[in-house]
Amino acid sequence: MFDKIKTWARSLKRQIFTLYFACKDERVPWHAKVFTACVVAYAFSPIDIIPDFIPILGYLDDVILVPLGVMIALKMIPKNVLADCEVKAEEMMKNGKPKNWIVGSLIVMIWVLIIIWLLYILIV
């Protein structure tokens, strides 16, 4: 059973990388790009709609929302584009994903600003 879960998670990760490359492809319609970009951003984001520390509910978005979004996005993208992007995704899975330090820094700055704002509200 644990092997099935690992295989499913690896497949989902590959699909997310496929969608990442599909977002950048000119052959994808704009509405599919927007939806796909939202799914990829949510999947890669450390910020969830339901925080993971909440028992049971915290992981529901990771188990339900992300796969559902991936499934819908994959249906919106032309098959020939998906085939090209799957090859790129497989190559990226072998080499490791790129790190985007700018986006990571931006997320950290947003959290710092939220904490400062909350402290300001509590103190004043």
Side-chain angles (χ1 to χ4, degrees):
M1 183 174 143
F2 188 66
D3 289 334
K4 285 183 181 182
I5 293 171
K6 282 176 62 173
T7 303
W8 174 78
R10 200 172 299 119
S11 172
L12 183 64
K13 184 177 179 181
R14 186 179 314 105
Q15 290 172 337
I16 292 169
F17 282 130
T18 301
L19 293 176
Y20 169 77
F21 286 112
C23 285
K24 297 180 175 190
D25 199 302
E26 296 97 24
R27 299 173 290 177
V28 176
W30 70 269
H31 57 88
K33 277 187 181 188
V34 170
F35 184 79
T36 301
C38 290
V39 170
V40 170
Y42 186 75
F44 286 147
S45 173
I47 302 169
D48 291 338
I49 291 175
I50 305 169
D52 290 341
F53 63 82
I54 297 174
I56 299 172
L57 294 176
Y59 290 104
L60 282 181
D61 61 341
D62 296 329
V63 175
I64 295 173
L65 291 180
V66 172
L68 184 64
V70 168
M71 184 181 68
I72 293 169
L74 288 173
K75 291 182 187 265
M76 298 173 79
I77 298 169
K79 299 295 181 206
N80 59 337
V81 175
L82 278 179
D84 294 343
C85 294
E86 285 172 352
V87 171
K88 292 178 185 177
E90 192 64 41
E91 186 176 315
M92 181 183 264
M93 294 272 297
K94 290 178 185 173
N95 299 332
K97 69 178 181 177
K99 293 176 179 47
N100 191 336
W101 295 105
I102 296 171
V103 174
S105 300
L106 181 65
I107 291 171
V108 169
M109 285 192 329
I110 290 171
W111 277 105
V112 168
L113 289 174
I114 290 171
I115 290 169
I116 290 171
W117 178 69
L118 287 173
L119 289 174
Y120 177 76
I121 289 175
L122 292 173
I123 293 171
V124 174

